[in-house]
Amino acid sequence: MIDLILDYLSNSSAITILVLVLLSAYLVTIFWIFIYRLMALNSLILNEKKSLETLTSRGSDISPLSSLYKCSSGSSSKHILHACEISIIKDASFGISWLSIISSTAPFIGLFGTVVGILESFAKFSNHGKVGFSIIAPAISEALVATAAGIFVAIFAYTFHQILVRKVYELNTYIKAQAEILVAKG
Protein backbone atom coordinates (compact mmCIF):
# COMPACT_ATOMS: atom_id res chain seq x y z
CA MET A 1 0.00 0.00 0.00
CA ILE A 2 2.77 2.44 0.95
CA ASP A 3 4.66 1.51 -2.23
CA LEU A 4 1.55 2.24 -4.28
CA ILE A 5 1.17 5.69 -2.67
CA LEU A 6 4.86 6.51 -3.11
CA ASP A 7 4.72 5.37 -6.74
CA TYR A 8 1.64 7.52 -7.33
CA LEU A 9 3.32 10.59 -5.78
CA SER A 10 6.57 10.08 -7.70
CA ASN A 11 4.64 10.02 -10.99
CA SER A 12 2.43 12.99 -10.09
CA SER A 13 2.94 16.56 -11.16
CA ALA A 14 3.69 19.42 -8.78
CA ILE A 15 0.10 20.68 -9.11
CA THR A 16 -1.35 17.29 -8.16
CA ILE A 17 0.95 17.04 -5.16
CA LEU A 18 0.06 20.61 -4.15
CA VAL A 19 -3.66 19.76 -4.40
CA LEU A 20 -3.22 16.64 -2.26
CA VAL A 21 -1.15 18.54 0.32
CA LEU A 22 -3.83 21.25 0.51
CA LEU A 23 -6.58 18.66 0.90
CA SER A 24 -4.53 16.91 3.60
CA ALA A 25 -4.20 20.23 5.44
CA TYR A 26 -7.96 20.67 5.10
CA LEU A 27 -8.54 17.22 6.58
CA VAL A 28 -6.32 17.91 9.59
CA THR A 29 -8.01 21.29 10.07
CA ILE A 30 -11.54 19.91 10.01
CA PHE A 31 -10.72 17.19 12.52
CA TRP A 32 -9.04 19.73 14.81
CA ILE A 33 -11.97 22.16 14.60
CA PHE A 34 -14.50 19.37 15.11
CA ILE A 35 -12.84 17.80 18.14
CA TYR A 36 -12.08 21.14 19.79
CA ARG A 37 -15.53 22.63 19.22
CA LEU A 38 -17.37 19.41 20.09
CA MET A 39 -15.63 19.17 23.45
CA ALA A 40 -16.28 22.86 24.19
CA LEU A 41 -19.93 22.65 23.14
CA ASN A 42 -20.58 19.47 25.10
CA SER A 43 -19.19 21.15 28.22
CA LEU A 44 -21.33 24.27 27.67
CA ILE A 45 -24.44 22.19 26.99
CA LEU A 46 -23.92 20.14 30.13
CA ASN A 47 -23.59 23.29 32.27
CA GLU A 48 -26.64 24.93 30.73
CA LYS A 49 -28.71 21.75 31.01
CA LYS A 50 -27.86 21.44 34.72
CA SER A 51 -28.62 25.12 35.24
CA LEU A 52 -32.00 24.78 33.52
CA GLU A 53 -32.82 21.72 35.61
CA THR A 54 -31.97 23.70 38.75
CA LEU A 55 -34.20 26.56 37.65
CA THR A 56 -37.15 24.33 36.84
CA SER A 57 -36.99 21.70 39.58
CA ARG A 58 -36.14 23.62 42.70
CA GLY A 59 -37.27 27.04 41.67
CA SER A 60 -33.96 28.45 42.76
CA ASP A 61 -31.67 30.86 40.98
CA ILE A 62 -29.56 30.19 37.94
CA SER A 63 -26.37 28.17 38.47
CA PRO A 64 -23.14 30.18 38.76
CA LEU A 65 -21.61 27.71 36.27
CA SER A 66 -24.04 28.85 33.57
CA SER A 67 -22.62 30.97 30.78
CA LEU A 68 -25.80 33.02 30.93
CA TYR A 69 -25.21 33.79 34.61
CA LYS A 70 -21.56 34.71 33.99
CA CYS A 71 -22.46 37.01 31.13
CA SER A 72 -25.44 38.70 32.78
CA SER A 73 -23.84 38.93 36.23
CA GLY A 74 -27.08 37.60 37.71
CA SER A 75 -29.29 40.26 36.07
CA SER A 76 -32.78 39.26 34.96
CA SER A 77 -33.24 42.18 32.58
CA LYS A 78 -34.75 40.97 29.30
CA HIS A 79 -32.38 43.13 27.22
CA ILE A 80 -29.24 42.03 29.06
CA LEU A 81 -30.23 38.37 28.87
CA HIS A 82 -30.96 38.68 25.14
CA ALA A 83 -27.58 40.34 24.54
CA CYS A 84 -25.94 37.55 26.54
CA GLU A 85 -27.74 34.88 24.49
CA ILE A 86 -26.38 36.41 21.30
CA SER A 87 -22.88 36.71 22.71
CA ILE A 88 -22.79 33.12 24.00
CA ILE A 89 -24.05 31.66 20.72
CA LYS A 90 -21.59 33.77 18.73
CA ASP A 91 -18.71 32.49 20.85
CA ALA A 92 -20.00 28.91 20.77
CA SER A 93 -20.22 28.86 16.98
CA PHE A 94 -16.75 30.32 16.43
CA GLY A 95 -14.85 28.39 13.76
CA ILE A 96 -17.78 26.33 12.58
CA SER A 97 -18.15 28.33 9.37
CA TRP A 98 -14.71 27.06 8.31
CA LEU A 99 -16.18 23.57 8.08
CA SER A 100 -18.81 24.88 5.69
CA ILE A 101 -16.17 26.66 3.61
CA ILE A 102 -14.00 23.56 3.44
CA SER A 103 -16.94 21.31 2.57
CA SER A 104 -17.84 23.53 -0.36
CA THR A 105 -14.31 24.18 -1.68
CA ALA A 106 -12.64 20.77 -1.23
CA PRO A 107 -14.42 19.11 -4.19
CA PHE A 108 -13.44 22.02 -6.44
CA ILE A 109 -9.82 21.80 -5.37
CA GLY A 110 -9.90 18.06 -6.08
CA LEU A 111 -11.55 18.68 -9.44
CA PHE A 112 -8.85 21.22 -10.28
CA GLY A 113 -6.21 18.58 -9.56
CA THR A 114 -8.04 16.10 -11.76
CA VAL A 115 -8.35 18.52 -14.67
CA VAL A 116 -4.67 19.41 -14.49
CA GLY A 117 -3.76 15.71 -14.28
CA ILE A 118 -5.87 14.86 -17.33
CA LEU A 119 -4.46 17.79 -19.28
CA GLU A 120 -0.93 16.68 -18.46
CA SER A 121 -1.76 13.13 -19.50
CA PHE A 122 -3.13 14.29 -22.85
CA ALA A 123 -0.09 16.50 -23.35
CA LYS A 124 2.17 13.48 -22.69
CA PHE A 125 0.24 11.33 -25.13
CA SER A 126 0.09 13.97 -27.89
CA ASN A 127 3.60 13.03 -29.06
CA HIS A 128 2.56 9.42 -29.61
CA GLY A 129 0.91 8.50 -32.87
CA LYS A 130 -1.56 5.96 -31.60
CA VAL A 131 -2.49 5.57 -27.96
CA GLY A 132 -4.79 2.82 -26.74
CA PHE A 133 -7.22 2.69 -23.88
CA SER A 134 -4.76 0.61 -21.85
CA ILE A 135 -2.38 3.58 -21.82
CA ILE A 136 -4.96 6.35 -21.27
CA ALA A 137 -7.05 4.62 -18.57
CA PRO A 138 -4.31 4.44 -15.89
CA ALA A 139 -3.36 8.07 -16.45
CA ILE A 140 -6.96 9.24 -16.12
CA SER A 141 -7.59 7.05 -13.08
CA GLU A 142 -4.51 8.57 -11.40
CA ALA A 143 -5.86 12.03 -12.15
CA LEU A 144 -9.24 11.14 -10.62
CA VAL A 145 -7.57 10.49 -7.26
CA ALA A 146 -7.59 14.25 -6.63
CA THR A 147 -11.36 14.45 -7.12
CA ALA A 148 -11.88 11.47 -4.83
CA ALA A 149 -9.68 13.12 -2.18
CA GLY A 150 -11.66 16.37 -2.46
CA ILE A 151 -14.97 14.57 -2.05
CA PHE A 152 -13.59 12.54 0.87
CA VAL A 153 -12.58 15.72 2.70
CA ALA A 154 -15.90 17.41 1.89
CA ILE A 155 -17.90 14.54 3.33
CA PHE A 156 -16.20 14.86 6.71
CA ALA A 157 -16.34 18.66 6.70
CA TYR A 158 -20.05 18.73 5.87
CA THR A 159 -20.91 16.03 8.41
CA PHE A 160 -18.91 17.71 11.17
CA HIS A 161 -20.47 21.07 10.31
CA GLN A 162 -23.97 19.63 10.63
CA ILE A 163 -23.18 17.95 13.96
CA LEU A 164 -21.75 21.16 15.43
CA VAL A 165 -24.60 23.32 14.14
CA ARG A 166 -27.00 20.96 15.88
CA LYS A 167 -24.98 21.25 19.11
CA VAL A 168 -25.11 25.06 18.91
CA TYR A 169 -28.88 24.84 18.42
CA GLU A 170 -29.17 22.62 21.48
CA LEU A 171 -27.09 25.08 23.52
CA ASN A 172 -29.23 27.96 22.28
CA THR A 173 -32.39 26.12 23.36
CA TYR A 174 -31.12 25.72 26.93
CA ILE A 175 -30.00 29.34 27.12
CA LYS A 176 -33.30 30.71 25.76
CA ALA A 177 -35.29 28.58 28.19
CA GLN A 178 -33.25 29.87 31.13
CA ALA A 179 -33.57 33.46 29.96
CA GLU A 180 -37.37 33.15 29.65
CA ILE A 181 -37.63 31.73 33.17
CA LEU A 182 -35.43 34.47 34.60
CA VAL A 183 -37.41 37.21 32.87
CA ALA A 184 -40.67 35.70 34.14
CA LYS A 185 -39.27 35.54 37.69
CA GLY A 186 -37.75 39.01 37.53
Side-chain angles (χ1 to χ4, degrees):
M1 181 68 174
I2 299 286
D3 292 335
L4 185 66
I5 293 170
L6 292 175
D7 185 47
Y8 173 78
L9 292 174
S10 67
N11 292 327
S12 296
S13 69
I15 297 289
T16 303
I17 291 172
L18 179 66
V19 164
L20 293 175
V21 166
L22 180 59
L23 290 172
S24 297
Y26 266 13
L27 191 63
V28 169
T29 301
I30 64 173
F31 272 95
W32 181 81
I33 290 170
F34 177 69
I35 291 168
Y36 176 75
R37 297 310 306 162
L38 184 65
M39 289 174 27
L41 284 167
N42 281 339
S43 175
L44 285 169
I45 289 168
L46 183 64
N47 285 340
E48 300 308 321
K49 184 178 180 180
K50 285 179 182 176
S51 181
L52 180 60
E53 287 171 356
T54 301
L55 273 173
T56 57
S57 67
R58 294 180 224 136
S60 62
D61 289 333
I62 191 168
S63 167
L65 296 176
S66 170
S67 299
L68 192 60
Y69 176 81
K70 292 174 188 174
C71 177
S72 67
S73 301
S75 171
S76 60
S77 164
K78 183 178 181 176
H79 300 293
I80 291 174
L81 290 171
H82 182 67
C84 286
E85 287 175 41
I86 292 169
S87 176
I88 292 166
I89 296 306
K90 180 184 164 287
D91 292 344
S93 61
F94 179 78
I96 296 175
S97 61
W98 280 106
L99 296 176
S100 178
I101 292 167
I102 290 171
S103 72
S104 63
T105 59
F108 292 115
I109 292 169
L111 184 60
F112 174 73
T114 297
V115 169
V116 169
I118 289 173
L119 289 173
E120 288 175 347
S121 296
F122 285 149
K124 231 190 301 185
F125 300 139
S126 67
N127 296 335
H128 299 80
K130 224 178 191 183
V131 179
F133 185 72
S134 62
I135 304 281
I136 294 174
I140 291 176
S141 69
E142 284 180 15
L144 288 171
V145 168
T147 296
I151 292 169
F152 180 79
V153 169
I155 289 168
F156 281 103
Y158 182 76
T159 303
F160 292 166
H161 177 264
Q162 293 300 99
I163 290 169
L164 293 178
V165 164
R166 175 67 184 145
K167 290 286 184 180
V168 169
Y169 174 78
E170 187 179 346
L171 175 67
N172 192 25
T173 302
Y174 287 125
I175 290 171
K176 282 188 180 298
Q178 290 177 78
E180 288 178 16
I181 291 170
L182 290 172
V183 167
K185 280 184 170 184

